[in-house]
Amino acid sequence: GAGVSQSPSNKVTEKGKDVELRCDPISGHTALYWYRQSLGQGLEFLIYFQGNSAPDKSGLPSDRFSAERTGGSVSTLTIQRTQQEDSAVYLCASSLTWTSLYEQYFGPGTRLTVT
Amino acid sequence: DQQVKQNSPSLSVQEGRISILNCDYTNSMFDYFLWYKKYPAEGPTFLISISSIKDKNEDGRFTVFLNKSAKHLSLHIVPSQPGDSAVYFCAASTGSYIPTFGRGTSLIVHP
């Protein structure tokens, strides 16, 4: 299909290791968002990319988290030195432009488990 | 501090009856409200929204009501169907900024 895809769907890692999560947005969507959902919590905003503008990193919980978006398309969320509290479902969403902020299309998520 | 609260983690309803999902918010600057539906192993999908200039928005079986003075909104599903069983997230935003999400309410519609 032409929806947002994320990989891997599941990731189990040991505490202290680095992980990379990938998001392929819908073709033509210039805005891309990362959220995470911890157990029993709502969706927590992490970072937002719009075109070639500097990303809005205001939601990143610590400097262990970073994200990049290459060529205005695929995005990678990197978590360094993972901790058990990083365990969550990481969701990526895209929208046509920032003005259609409300029409976000979400991917299925990556379930990260840190042991 | 949770700015968007969904105080009922779960709701069980009989098929054909009305489902009412509630959401409260604390930030009076919020002016746009959304509901998303999420099935297991899938990402949330946008369901319905309402601007603060309205108090009701209807789309088929789904109606969202907004009570600004009470800082409360609700989603009504009539009639409820088993396929409506999902987690429903309420979200609110200020202007066009990133919405703040609640923790979700799991709706189960029994046949």
Side-chain angles (χ1 to χ4, degrees):
Chain A
V4 177
S5 61
Q6 292 185 245
S7 62
S9 55
N10 279 284
K11 176 72 176 178
V12 180
T13 189
E14 291 180 355
K15 177 181 172 181
K17 301 274 189 172
D18 298 351
V19 295
E20 285 189 354
L21 312 179
R22 177 187 168 105
C23 172
D24 282 274
I26 292 173
S27 177
H29 280 193
T30 62
L32 186 148
Y33 317 78
W34 283 98
Y35 295 85
R36 74 175 175 182
Q37 185 182 13
S38 304
L39 191 63
Q41 303 296 314
L43 274 68
E44 176 189 4
F45 163 71
L46 297 176
I47 187 169
Y48 157 61
F49 296 88
Q50 170 54 47
N52 295 321
S53 302
D56 179 344
K57 304 179 183 180
S58 59
L60 293 179
S62 78
D63 58 9
R64 297 186 296 105
F65 287 72
S66 63
E68 60 179 25
R69 189 178 184 193
T70 53
S73 181
V74 171
S75 177
T76 302
L77 177 70
T78 301
I79 310 173
Q80 296 178 310
R81 306 180 302 282
T82 51
Q83 303 295 312
Q84 288 185 329
E85 62 262 28
D86 299 334
S87 296
V89 176
Y90 288 81
L91 290 159
C92 174
S94 69
S95 62
L96 190 58
T97 70
W98 72 271
T99 57
S100 56
L101 173 69
Y102 315 123
E103 299 292 337
Q104 295 183 30
Y105 296 84
F106 284 83
T110 294
R111 181 175 295 279
L112 174 67
T113 304
V114 182
T115 61
Chain B
D1 179 36
Q2 269 192 286
Q3 296 191 62
V4 177
K5 301 178 185 179
Q6 295 178 257
N7 292 320
S8 297
S10 63
L11 175 68
S12 182
V13 171
Q14 199 72 31
E15 180 178 7
R17 300 290 187 107
I18 184 171
S19 295
I20 300 176
L21 297 100
N22 293 304
C23 178
D24 296 291
Y25 61 95
T26 58
N27 188 343
S28 58
M29 299 299 291
F30 286 143
D31 58 6
Y32 201 84
F33 305 88
L34 311 92
W35 286 94
Y36 282 80
K37 179 167 78 171
K38 184 182 183 301
Y39 292 118
E42 296 183 12
T45 55
F46 170 76
L47 187 58
I48 192 169
S49 63
I50 188 168
S51 165
S52 60
I53 63 173
K54 294 186 174 181
D55 55 16
K56 177 183 175 181
N57 189 25
E58 191 172 354
D59 183 1
R61 297 185 297 113
F62 302 89
T63 303
V64 56
F65 295 92
L66 175 62
N67 183 334
K68 290 185 290 295
S69 61
K71 294 191 181 68
H72 177 84
L73 66 155
S74 60
L75 175 68
H76 293 211
I77 307 173
V78 182
S80 302
Q81 299 173 355
D84 296 329
S85 298
V87 176
Y88 289 79
F89 290 98
C90 170
S93 67
T94 303
S96 60
Y97 197 59
I98 309 292
T100 300
F101 286 81
R103 294 183 177 182
T105 296
S106 177
L107 173 66
I108 300 172
V109 180
H110 296 284

